[in-house]
Amino acid sequence: MNLVFRRATPANYPEVRRITREAYVHAGHFTADHPYMRVLEDVEHRAEHAEVWVAEASGAVVAAVTLTLVGQPYSEIAIDGELEFRMLAVDPAVQGGGVGRVLVRRVIEHAQSLPAVGAISITSATFMERAHSLYESLGFERVPERDWCVPGQDVLLWVFKLEMQAAVGTDTPNFHQTFDASISANPKLQSRNDDR
C-alpha cells in the first residue's frame, strides 16, 4: 500500500473540506464557528488561486495541503525562490500514524523537483507545538525576523524555513507497516474507503 501524493481534483474537494475542518477543530485550533473556518472550508477558491494536493492511501484521501508561491493570492510569507505550504490537515481518524510526516516529506520532494525553488517556507501559530516538532525534525528552522501578526488580531505567527540542501532524507522506513495497521484498526476510515 502506497501513500500517493497528487493534485486534488474537484471530486476530492468535499473530502478535503471535511478533513481540514475536522483536523483543525479536533486539534482545538479553532471552534467550528470561527470566521477562519470559512476560509479553510472554501476548497474551491483555494484550488483556483493556489494548488491543493492530497495524500491518498488505499483509495481514500487521508490528508491535504495547499502549495503557493510568492505573489499568489494564498501566499503569506513566500519570497522569491520559495515554495510556501499552508493549511496542512490530516484526517483525525489516522493521526498518530505518521501521515503528517510523510506528507511534509512529499512536499519537500515536490519542491526539490521545481528548478526555481530553493527553499520551503511555512507559517505556524505559536500554540501548534506538535507541528513545530515535526517541522524541526525534518530540518526546518525558525526565522524569527520574519514572524508576523494576523492583521487586527493579537496573534503571533512563527515562520519556519527549509533550505533544499538541508532537507532531511525522504525515505520513510516502516511507514507503510504502521499506516496499514492504523487503517485496519480504524473502522471509521475503513468504512469510508469501502464506500468509495
Side-chain angles (χ1 to χ4, degrees):
M1 192 264 318
N2 254 336
L3 188 74
V4 178
F5 184 57
R6 61 170 175 79
R7 287 283 293 271
T9 66
N12 301 136
Y13 297 169
E15 194 68 348
V16 171
R17 185 171 10 262
R18 179 195 66 78
I19 289 171
T20 306
R21 179 180 59 246
E22 292 184 6
Y24 276 74
V25 171
H26 175 78
H29 298 328
F30 300 103
T31 57
D33 60 351
H34 191 283
Y36 188 58
M37 293 302 292
R38 290 196 298 272
V39 177
L40 292 172
E41 292 175 352
D42 194 349
V43 182
E44 290 78 7
H45 190 271
R46 269 197 272 163
E48 183 180 351
H49 298 285
E51 294 185 1
V52 178
W53 289 66
V54 295
E56 189 177 63
S58 298
V61 173
V62 295
V65 66
T66 297
L67 307 181
T68 185
L69 297 167
V70 62
Q72 295 180 342
Y74 274 79
S75 176
E76 293 178 324
I77 58 161
I79 59 176
D80 287 341
E82 289 182 353
L83 176 72
E84 179 180 350
F85 74 81
R86 299 186 54 199
M87 302 173 179
L88 186 150
V90 176
D91 192 332
V94 298
Q95 287 181 9
V99 177
R101 176 174 296 276
V102 175
L103 182 57
V104 175
R105 282 175 160 160
R106 295 294 178 263
V107 171
I108 295 170
E109 289 177 351
H110 177 65
Q112 289 169 329
S113 75
L114 302 174
V117 170
I120 301 173
S121 59
I122 52 174
T123 290
S124 186
T126 56
F127 52 80
M128 296 181 176
E129 292 92 351
R130 287 183 62 191
H132 303 164
S133 297
L134 169 62
Y135 301 146
E136 289 172 341
S137 74
L138 291 171
F140 285 84
E141 296 183 347
R142 287 267 293 109
V143 191
E145 63 272 19
R146 292 174 64 183
D147 292 350
W148 58 288
C149 289
V150 178
Q153 300 183 40
D154 188 25
V155 179
L156 177 65
L157 299 173
W158 284 356
V159 173
F160 292 79
K161 179 179 178 179
L162 174 70
E163 298 284 355
M164 288 295 89
Q165 63 266 28
V168 173
T170 53
D171 292 338
T172 53
N174 302 323
F175 167 73
H176 298 309
Q177 178 180 353
T178 303
F179 192 65
D180 280 333
S182 71
I183 286 183
S184 60
N186 194 311
K188 256 178 77 178
L189 179 60
Q190 192 61 55
S191 65
R192 277 203 297 272
N193 192 37
D194 293 342
D195 290 341
R196 289 175 63 85

